[in-house]
Amino acid sequence: MKQSTALKVLKSGKNVFLTGSAGTGKTYLLNQYIKYLRERNVPLAITASTGIAATHLDGMTIHSWSGIGIREELTDHDLEKIAKKAPTRKRIEQAKVLIIDEISMLSGQTLHCIDQVLRYIKVSFEPFGGIQVIFSGDFFQLPPVSRERKPSHEKFAFMHPSWVEAQLQVCYLTEQYRQESDLLLDLLNEIRSGEISDSSANILRTKMEESQDSEVEGLELYTHNLDVDRINEQKLKKLPGEEKSFIAKIEGQALLVQALKKSIIVPEDLRLKKGAQVIFVKNSYDDGFVNGTMGHIVDFNTEGWPIVQTLDDRKLVAKPLEWSIDDEKGKPMAIFKQVPLRLAWAITVHKSQGMTLDQVTVDLSRTFEAGQGYVALSRVKTLDGLRLIGCNQKALMMDELVMRADRRFEELAHEIEQVVHRFESSDLEKIFEDFIHSAGGTLDNRCIAENKKRLSKPKVLIFTKRISTYEKTKKLILDWKNLEEIMTLRGMTKATVVKHIQKLMVDFPDIDFSQLRPTEELIKQVQTAHSVCKKSAVSDDFDAKGRIKLGLIHRALGGSVDYDDIRLVLCFA
């Protein structure tokens, strides 16, 4: 199916599964549809199953947007709890279109949870609360990560009743836009079909022989975390300069702490140097990064935290964030607090999903899951940019259920294509307009023209987000909310809220912040430590603004008061 035909199906308001092989322009088409909806003021939600995929659409993860987090099952109590969170409830109530990209990495059970939340908050028996849902992705990409090995029919979202009930129209894109090499494209298509020709097998053997002396390096992809860690350690040791170590702060019950450690991929002892390639491993939209944002360390700030220059040339300070396991009342039972970074000269094939790379080094010698080889090879634009240093038989295998489902998706897309072609242009326009009207959008040409003009202007996304997020926190302060209430209503960590308070106190000195004032006992405790540090301080103990470094005060207090509380006290000192 051509992109132009698929766009017509999207604009009809029907639920859609948008698929096709790597490089057929699924993300480009989604962005075209997003632009069309925004020009007509249709409220939409842009999400993805992973953080890095979400950045391609300027969206957020579906887990965060829907409020389900890491849950794979929802009780009535869970649904009530999610609905009580004002930001989550508001965005779900407003949305008329929901886009979920990289659907292959979403389990059927997670899809069911999303369906439950939408029905509950929108008070509707219709699938996904009656709004248009668009699932985009390619099931030849990797399936959801699961701690337990599951059979194929339990892994994939398309096997779940929630998928079937949505009555999705399949748009299977076939035109190639990414790979510049016909040989690479032929190879990928053969892997998808499960039939590797002798000529393609020879190409891979030749590529492995050439790669032994190849100077092409680029990002290195491995199937196992152990290989990734080994390569990253070697690269770090080769860098000149001082190595800085960041030790995680861990609290809680031992068994829960162990479970928490297994669920995250940030190191307990994170070691970094200037020049180190890194990847963020947690979402923090207010700070400008998501799980999957890549860059390198350019320096460390006056407090000692790493400054990361991202691939799109933004500079971000990586400060510790919290991972936690909470009880039913939202109280943490186990906490893991660490700088949200990992070394990233090498990453796993799973982490590479959604990337398009000019050069890549790939080792598939220990492939253990069907589809890993296809994902890794489809990351690179051309065969010339590929350095293949290992490949086993499993690397070229695909899941049998996925291959059968894909053939059926192609058939369904062909049927839909025939239906679309039978419509007159005027009839299609009427269908498009009816959907915009039902979704609460505008059909006023003057308004659409103004929106087009506004949307065509360059955006500074991070700057815009920072302004809007501070304004939201300011409004809650004016509404006399305390620190815990602001954290809950904004869905933010304590560190982020305190940072907002610091800035707002400088920018708006006339606002009454007294409801946020710490206890007099804590203020006295921190002020005493601050005075002691100041008396014995030398020049290196002050930051660039002439203030005593927080680390000194923290040590003077014996670590009994966390950095966020120290910052908050100093706001009122």
Side-chain angles (χ1 to χ4, degrees), residues 503-513:
K503 178 174 171 57
L504 290 168
M505 289 182 83
V506 173
D507 293 345
F508 303 96
D510 295 333
I511 291 179
D512 184 357
F513 292 88

Side-chain angles (χ1 to χ4, degrees), residues 3-166:
Q3 288 188 355
S4 56
T5 305
L7 185 58
K8 290 173 183 175
V9 180
L10 290 169
K11 288 160 71 172
S12 73
K14 298 286 187 182
N15 292 342
V16 171
F17 171 42
L18 176 64
T19 190
S21 62
T24 51
K26 295 184 291 292
T27 301
Y28 173 81
L29 181 58
L30 285 179
N31 277 316
Q32 291 296 107
Y33 186 50
I34 289 165
K35 180 172 176 286
Y36 168 82
L37 293 175
R38 283 176 169 164
E39 288 169 356
R40 286 152 184 80
N41 292 340
V42 174
L44 74 154
I46 307 164
T47 73
S49 61
T50 66
I52 195 161
T55 62
H56 297 161
L57 295 168
D58 182 26
M60 62 194 298
T61 63
I62 184 61
H63 306 79
S64 297
W65 181 85
S66 64
I68 65 171
I70 61 172
R71 299 180 186 92
E72 286 208 343
E73 289 184 7
L74 293 177
T75 63
D76 290 342
H77 177 69
D78 290 329
L79 290 169
E80 287 175 18
K81 211 163 117 181
I82 291 169
K84 283 178 181 176
K85 292 182 179 178
T88 304
R89 187 180 67 251
K90 185 178 179 182
R91 60 178 172 247
I92 290 175
E93 284 176 341
Q94 289 179 339
K96 299 296 184 183
V97 178
L98 170 62
I99 294 170
I100 306 178
D101 197 15
E102 293 293 356
I103 193 68
S104 69
M105 293 192 75
L106 214 63
S107 70
Q109 190 56 41
T110 302
L111 190 69
H112 177 55
C113 289
I114 298 160
D115 185 16
Q116 284 180 283
V117 170
L118 265 67
R119 291 186 195 221
Y120 185 86
I121 290 179
K122 287 187 171 288
V123 195
S124 171
F125 290 108
E126 293 186 64
F128 298 93
I131 65 174
Q132 183 190 29
V133 289
I134 299 159
F135 304 148
S136 177
D138 176 13
F139 283 101
F140 282 111
Q141 303 291 309
L142 294 173
V145 178
S146 176
R147 291 174 196 165
E148 301 174 3
R149 197 167 272 285
K150 295 181 179 179
S152 294
H153 70 273
E154 290 183 15
K155 277 194 289 192
F156 299 108
F158 63 79
M159 294 297 291
H160 198 278
S162 290
W163 178 285
V164 178
E165 289 171 16

Side-chain angles (χ1 to χ4, degrees), residues 250-251 255-265 323-325 334-336:
I250 302 170
E251 300 173 7
L255 288 175
L256 290 176
V257 165
Q258 283 302 113
L260 186 57
K261 285 181 183 179
K262 288 179 182 177
S263 69
I264 57 181
I265 59 170
W323 289 258
S324 67
I325 296 175
I335 296 173
F336 187 100

Side-chain angles (χ1 to χ4, degrees), residues 223-238:
T223 52
H224 289 70
N225 271 312
L226 283 175
D227 293 317
V228 167
D229 292 340
R230 174 178 51 81
I231 295 297
N232 284 329
E233 287 294 323
Q234 291 173 357
K235 297 277 188 179
L236 185 68
K237 284 179 182 178
K238 289 180 181 179

Side-chain angles (χ1 to χ4, degrees), residues 451-516:
N451 286 340
K452 283 183 178 180
K453 186 177 179 182
R454 175 175 55 81
L455 292 168
S456 66
K457 291 179 180 177
K459 295 183 296 180
V460 184
L461 291 175
I462 298 304
F463 180 65
T464 304
K465 285 180 180 176
R466 287 185 186 277
I467 289 176
S468 62
T469 196
Y470 284 122
E471 285 296 324
K472 290 175 185 175
T473 302
K474 177 186 165 188
K475 185 178 184 304
L476 293 176
I477 292 170
L478 291 172
D479 289 342
W480 208 248
K481 303 295 183 186
N482 62 33
L483 185 62
E484 286 72 24
E485 288 172 327
I486 294 172
M487 289 166 60
T488 301
L489 291 170
R490 294 297 323 274
M492 289 176 168
T493 62
K494 188 177 181 180
T496 303
V497 174
V498 170
K499 183 175 70 174
H500 284 201
I501 293 167
Q502 285 178 303
K503 178 174 171 57
L504 290 168
M505 289 182 83
V506 173
D507 293 345
F508 303 96
D510 295 333
I511 291 179
D512 184 357
F513 292 88
S514 57
Q515 82 274 23
L516 301 168

Side-chain angles (χ1 to χ4, degrees), residues 542-562:
F542 294 89
D543 64 21
K545 294 184 178 179
R547 301 170 301 195
I548 291 289
K549 291 180 179 178
L550 292 182
L552 289 176
I553 302 172
H554 185 259
R555 286 194 291 274
L557 291 163
S560 62
V561 181
D562 66 33

